[in-house]
Amino acid sequence: MKRVFRSLAGLAVFLLLWEGIVRAGLVRQEFLPPPSVVFATLFQLLGDVSFLRDVIATFLAWLIAVLISVAIAVPAGLLLGSIPGLRASTAVIIEFLRPIPVAALIPLILLLIGSGPDAKITLAVYASLWPIMFNTIYALGEIDPVLLETARACGTSKTRTLFSVALPHTAPFVFTGIRLSATIALIAVVSTEFLAGAELGIGNFILEASTGSTRFDLVLADTMVTGILGFAINGGLELLGRRLFRWNTADREAV
Amino acid sequence: MSAITLSGRVGRGVSSILRTWLLFIAILVLWEIVTRAAANTFFPPPSKIATTAAGLWFTGPAGHLFLTDTVFDNVFPSLGRTLGGWLIASVIGIAVGVLVGRSRTAMDYVGALFAFFRALPPPALIPIFIVLFGIGPGMQTGSIIFGAVWPVLLNTVDGVRSVDSVKVETARSFRTPKGYWLAMVVLPAAAPKIFAGLRLSLSISLLLMVVSELVGPPNGIGISLLQAQQAFDFPLMWSWLVLLGLLGYGFNAVFVAVERRALAWQPTGGRN
Amino acid sequence: MSTMLEVSGLNHRYGTGEKEHIAVNDLTFTVEAGQLASIVGPSGCGKSTLLRCIAGLIKPTSGTVSLHGDRVDGVPSDLAVVFQDYSRSLFPWLSVAKNVEFPLRWGSLSKTDRRERAQEALDQVGLSGVGGKFPWQLSGGMQQRVSIARALARRPALLLMDEPFASVDAQTRFELEDLTRRVQRDHGSTVLVVTHDIDESVYLSDRVLVLSKSPASIVADLTVGLPAERDQITTRESAEFVSMRGEVARLLHGKEAVTAAGDAAEWELAEKSATADVEAESKTG
């Protein structure tokens, strides 16, 4: 409980500082609206149907992207992770593909797929494949050999071993990968909307608000919505992960 | 070491390199064949991309190492912003991370705020940075720093907080002064996590470089990529794209090599 | 012989109210300079808490600890601790030599002096040639030796050891016990060893303090009548050793048996009185 209070206190201090800086005239109000204005706008937006449609559009695109990502990356990771020869050779390819910034692919995707939801989803899937694959492969390599030997000594068949020893053990790592992917996917979806100007979506909303007659309170309010969404997704998955894998004592990634 | 084992080692090394790159080369060849067969303007064959890229970057005067003006005007500034921004973000992230991590309660206050900032899609903050710095290199570097600082900061906090309790007691039992405590115990203990954060923020820096350049002039890899696409010059566009891939790969490879040396003391020998 | 360590009325409590747990209960004892004393007690009786109070790592709820006459408030500068878990106590990113040098870094010694001292300490524990290695490259016994060397490099007035040999195998334990005795005699330092191993406490020390189970209080303070020159085989066979360890064992386990019997008797009494109350109530009700 103390932690919640402290978090709120920290948040309050931050907001007060922000409000203070703007009111004191250090930054012009049109450029950086104070929290009071931003929150007012935020509440207004929440009642605005078209904005809600944007939010839902983004959320749906995100959800689909994550599901596709998981469906591809988990089996791929399991496959690549359990065949050592394959892992080494695909490693180089992955190391080349992974660092290509997703945004750089936007022009290409726009040409191929146009600017509808498909583009968003494709890019988001591409961006979010990697954490899941990596964590799955890594996890398979990390299985305590003692566990595997014990299974073998008990006469467990190879498939059985895979399902009842390897999979449960790798599950927490894979889940962390999924959590990271979910965050990245959201960023990818919103970024694509913003950079490519989709028809619907939070990113598109920011784009429209920031061009033309710039309304920064809208921009900030919308950014806040994105932040809250991302925060909620990450936090929610973290909690879920902790409950599902309470028995896990291994070190998980911090970020 | 006898000649036999030495040549055996070399042989094994060569064959493992071959194996790793074999699949890569095979795919490259496949890519060439498929794109030639399809003859789709969107997907020029790798050979065409290579020649375009060579012409674009390497036909300069000998005095400049054969590098063209394009390289100087676009590639170097982009690299400068990316690496410069990353370094600044790293320093800030580690410094603040150590400060916050050392205090038991500080994270309680700011943890949620940090998590919130981390969840913000950096591209969406571009408008804010444009406002603060105007369109230009300042905005680009600024957004790189803002986006890249979070993984370093959060990982540093985590690393600093999870120093082994036995080591804490050992250091206390020797009355270790604060400076030595931080430099010789906390930072090395947190190093693996910090390095993981640094690696992630390096790739974020690269991403933000591209994004911030897509939005604005005056120069850079990102804007060159966009201009090529708008001019429908696909070999050119792909050249820039491949460059980005190479840069990402290169950064990562160099980083991993440095990390392996720095963390060589780990019992697993600095394994990734 | 002067008094090196004086513990007086030491009390330590964890938690408050209902969750309160008294770890150490009114301990008073002294250790003379140059003595090798050990504290034996069952697991979980509060030995570690006691050690940490003596070292200044924990501030006791009440009572005092004095080191050569000076009150202990925070960790004193001429004290060193050897912990049980050597693999977590040594710093894996420093070489063995640098680990041993670590406590000397902020002192007034020059670099060459530091290195000499560290080498000296390593020689003393029989690890002359491993300065350049890293802890993970050494066996458990060798790592603990490095820990001891690190503690010795400081030339501490008091050396505290927290179950130092509990994490090594039996053979290594014997070697390390002999090493400790030798080092203590060569240096003339005062050593206080906390252990749960009865044989070890008798073999190792000049004096054995027996603690009760939690909350820890001193059950007995025995002087070990064995000769200064000890040997793992002959000493352990000697009549003196056998009778000493028997006495300590009885003090440790015997008391528990007595307490258990006492508890059982109390429980019976409590039950009887409870049933009596219920009967009385039903009669009047």
Side-chain angles (χ1 to χ4, degrees):
Chain A
M1 254 297 114
K2 239 197 253 177
R3 271 186 73 195
V4 178
F5 283 138
R6 291 212 176 121
S7 298
L8 291 175
L11 192 65
V13 169
F14 173 73
L15 290 174
L16 281 171
L17 270 174
W18 179 5
E19 184 92 28
I21 292 178
V22 180
R23 296 282 179 202
L26 288 170
V27 185
R28 282 178 51 194
Q29 184 146 338
E30 305 86 64
F31 287 167
L32 190 68
S36 43
V37 173
V38 176
F39 277 114
T41 321
L42 184 65
F43 282 119
Q44 262 185 324
L45 281 179
L46 290 177
D48 184 352
V49 177
S50 67
F51 178 75
L52 288 176
R53 243 184 310 164
D54 281 334
V55 174
I56 293 177
T58 304
F59 184 77
L60 277 177
W62 169 79
L63 191 62
I64 297 175
V66 172
L67 288 173
I68 297 180
S69 206
V70 171
I72 299 177
V74 173
L78 283 176
L79 188 68
L80 289 177
S82 34
I83 305 176
L86 212 53
R87 191 208 298 201
S89 33
T90 47
V92 179
I93 302 175
I94 294 178
E95 282 303 314
F96 257 109
L97 291 180
R98 185 166 69 121
I100 298 181
V102 176
L105 296 171
I106 291 183
L108 184 66
I109 296 287
L110 282 180
L111 286 173
L112 293 176
I113 306 183
S115 62
D118 294 343
K120 288 190 257 185
I121 296 176
T122 314
L123 270 174
V125 168
Y126 180 85
S128 49
L129 281 177
W130 312 110
I132 303 180
M133 271 222 298
F134 259 50
N135 270 29
T136 314
I137 297 178
Y138 174 78
L140 278 177
E142 282 295 296
I143 299 181
D144 190 351
V146 177
L147 280 174
L148 291 174
E149 288 213 8
T150 313
R152 222 182 359 189
C154 295
T156 327
S157 76
K158 255 204 154 168
T159 16
R160 208 57 216 293
T161 312
L162 179 70
F163 280 111
S164 30
V165 180
L167 276 185
H169 186 86
T170 58
F173 291 100
V174 176
F175 193 80
T176 309
I178 295 181
R179 180 163 64 87
L180 285 174
S181 286
T183 319
I184 292 176
L186 183 66
I187 295 180
V189 170
V190 176
S191 309
T192 318
E193 290 169 353
F194 175 74
L195 289 169
E199 289 152 21
L200 284 176
I202 303 180
N204 180 54
F205 188 87
I206 298 180
L207 180 67
E208 285 181 0
S210 61
T211 49
S213 61
T214 331
R215 290 260 329 256
F216 272 105
D217 51 339
L218 283 177
V219 172
L220 281 178
D222 198 37
T223 310
M224 222 173 263
V225 171
T226 323
I228 294 174
L229 198 57
F231 180 76
I233 289 173
N234 194 48
L237 283 177
E238 213 176 301
L239 279 175
L240 182 64
R242 232 172 267 170
R243 295 208 75 206
L244 282 178
F245 304 115
R246 247 190 290 233
W247 46 264
N248 185 31
T249 49
D251 215 6
R252 276 169 279 152
E253 276 179 61
V255 181
Chain B
M1 220 186 287
S2 75
I4 302 172
T5 46
L6 185 61
S7 65
R9 268 176 149 221
V10 170
R12 246 177 293 142
V14 168
S15 74
S16 86
I17 292 178
L18 272 180
R19 238 185 304 135
T20 322
W21 289 89
L22 202 62
L23 192 58
F24 181 74
I25 295 172
I27 293 199
L28 209 59
V29 170
L30 199 65
W31 184 13
E32 177 86 27
I33 297 176
V34 169
T35 45
R36 272 192 197 276
N40 185 340
T41 34
F42 288 165
F43 291 97
S47 46
K48 189 105 200 295
I49 301 174
T51 40
T52 317
L56 182 65
W57 300 322
F58 296 117
T59 49
H64 286 168
L65 290 172
F66 299 107
L67 297 171
T68 57
D69 283 338
T70 323
V71 176
F72 284 101
D73 292 336
N74 286 301
V75 178
F76 286 165
S78 283
L79 281 179
R81 285 192 284 263
T82 313
L83 290 173
W86 175 68
L87 279 170
I88 297 176
S90 304
V91 169
I92 297 177
I94 295 179
V96 176
V98 169
L99 277 173
V100 171
R102 270 189 57 214
S103 153
R104 235 169 304 159
T105 50
M107 200 55 182
D108 284 349
Y109 290 104
V110 294
L113 268 178
F114 285 173
F116 177 80
F117 280 122
R118 214 190 106 247
L120 291 174
L125 295 168
I126 300 282
I128 302 178
F129 279 97
I130 293 180
V131 157
L132 290 175
F133 298 103
I135 292 190
M139 173 273 282
Q140 288 156 355
T141 317
S143 40
I144 291 177
I145 296 176
F146 187 83
V149 82
W150 306 110
V152 181
L153 203 157
L154 290 171
N155 268 30
T156 307
V157 170
D158 190 35
V160 166
R161 283 171 115 199
S162 48
V163 177
D164 193 350
S165 58
V166 180
K167 294 196 179 57
V168 175
E169 274 200 322
T170 305
R172 280 188 62 209
S173 74
F174 287 122
R175 296 190 356 151
T176 314
K178 282 259 162 71
Y180 286 95
W181 160 240
L182 276 178
M184 293 189 73
V185 186
V186 173
L187 280 177
K193 292 214 167 111
I194 297 182
F195 267 97
L198 286 174
R199 198 156 165 221
L200 187 57
S201 75
L202 187 56
S203 58
I204 291 181
S205 300
L206 194 63
L207 174 73
L208 277 171
M209 177 266 280
V210 176
V211 171
S212 62
E213 288 177 2
L214 283 178
V215 168
N219 57 23
I221 301 180
I223 193 95
S224 306
L225 176 67
L226 190 63
Q227 284 166 345
Q229 181 242 348
Q230 286 167 341
F232 294 98
D233 187 344
F234 297 112
L236 191 61
M237 185 190 84
W238 277 91
S239 305
W240 289 111
L241 201 57
V242 169
L243 177 65
L244 281 172
L246 285 171
L247 280 177
Y249 180 80
F251 283 168
N252 204 42
V254 171
F255 187 87
V256 167
V258 172
E259 182 184 18
R260 209 162 276 176
R261 288 212 68 206
L263 299 182
W265 47 262
Q266 288 191 302
T268 44
R271 172 178 55 96
N272 176 13
Chain C
M1 274 233 269
S2 57
T3 308
M4 178 59 78
L5 177 70
E6 190 176 324
V7 175
S8 175
L10 194 67
N11 268 295
H12 194 70
R13 242 194 320 272
Y14 287 113
T16 47
E18 270 191 29
K19 289 219 204 119
E20 188 179 86
H21 170 68
I22 303 179
V24 175
N25 194 12
D26 203 20
L27 277 182
T28 302
F29 64 91
T30 57
V31 179
E32 306 301 310
Q35 237 184 13
L36 209 180
S38 55
I39 300 182
V40 206
S43 292
C45 73
K47 305 194 295 290
S48 287
T49 310
L50 171 61
L51 189 117
R52 277 161 179 75
C53 288
I54 297 176
L57 288 168
I58 302 180
K59 198 170 151 81
T61 346
S62 65
T64 61
V65 178
S66 304
L67 186 61
H68 47 60
D70 304 316
R71 274 287 296 274
V72 164
D73 188 13
V75 181
S77 56
D78 51 356
L79 178 142
V81 184
V82 174
F83 293 93
Q84 173 185 348
D85 201 341
Y86 43 81
S87 66
R88 288 167 63 189
S89 179
L90 294 175
F91 301 135
W93 47 87
L94 294 177
S95 67
V96 165
K98 292 246 156 66
N99 258 290
V100 177
E101 269 182 53
F102 179 75
L104 305 172
R105 290 292 292 255
W106 46 90
S108 46
L109 292 176
S110 73
K111 212 172 183 186
T112 20
D113 285 341
R114 274 204 319 254
R115 237 175 278 167
E116 261 180 53
R117 268 283 194 107
Q119 189 55 47
E120 211 184 294
L122 283 172
D123 291 337
Q124 287 217 304
V125 300
L127 289 178
S128 311
V130 300
K133 295 224 167 125
F134 281 82
W136 60 270
Q137 294 173 297
L138 304 178
S139 69
M142 290 167 87
Q143 286 186 38
Q144 192 61 302
R145 285 182 204 238
V146 175
S147 247
I148 296 175
R150 181 175 61 179
L152 291 177
R154 268 286 206 78
R155 309 230 175 112
L158 176 64
L159 178 63
L160 293 172
M161 301 175 99
D162 188 4
E163 310 219 31
F165 313 133
S167 302
V168 299
D169 61 270
Q171 299 283 71
T172 319
R173 205 173 302 159
F174 287 173
E175 287 168 22
L176 291 176
E177 286 169 2
D178 288 331
L179 173 72
T180 311
R181 277 199 65 78
R182 193 186 68 224
V183 152
Q184 188 257 338
R185 274 211 333 264
D186 290 345
H187 273 233
S189 33
T190 315
V191 179
L192 187 56
V193 179
V194 165
T195 178
H196 63 264
D197 186 329
I198 302 173
D199 289 12
E200 182 168 280
S201 66
V202 175
Y203 180 82
L204 201 49
S205 44
D206 309 320
R207 197 162 140 235
V208 177
L209 289 152
V210 184
L211 293 185
S212 66
K213 68 180 176 86
S214 182
S217 54
I218 299 190
V219 171
D221 187 341
L222 310 167
T223 317
V224 177
L226 293 166
E229 291 293 326
R230 297 184 199 176
D231 168 79
Q232 289 286 352
I233 301 178
T234 47
T235 310
R236 286 183 190 252
E237 285 176 333
S238 70
E240 174 69 36
F241 180 87
V242 173
S243 78
M244 260 256 82
R245 75 161 308 287
E247 196 178 335
V248 175
R250 257 184 295 274
L251 283 166
L252 272 180
H253 300 146
K255 185 143 207 294
E256 280 190 359
V258 167
T259 326
D263 283 337
E266 262 189 65
W267 185 241
E268 263 194 68
L269 273 173
E271 260 194 75
K272 279 204 192 124
S273 63
T275 23
D277 282 356
V278 169
E279 283 183 25
E281 271 214 283
S282 62
K283 274 197 196 138
T284 49

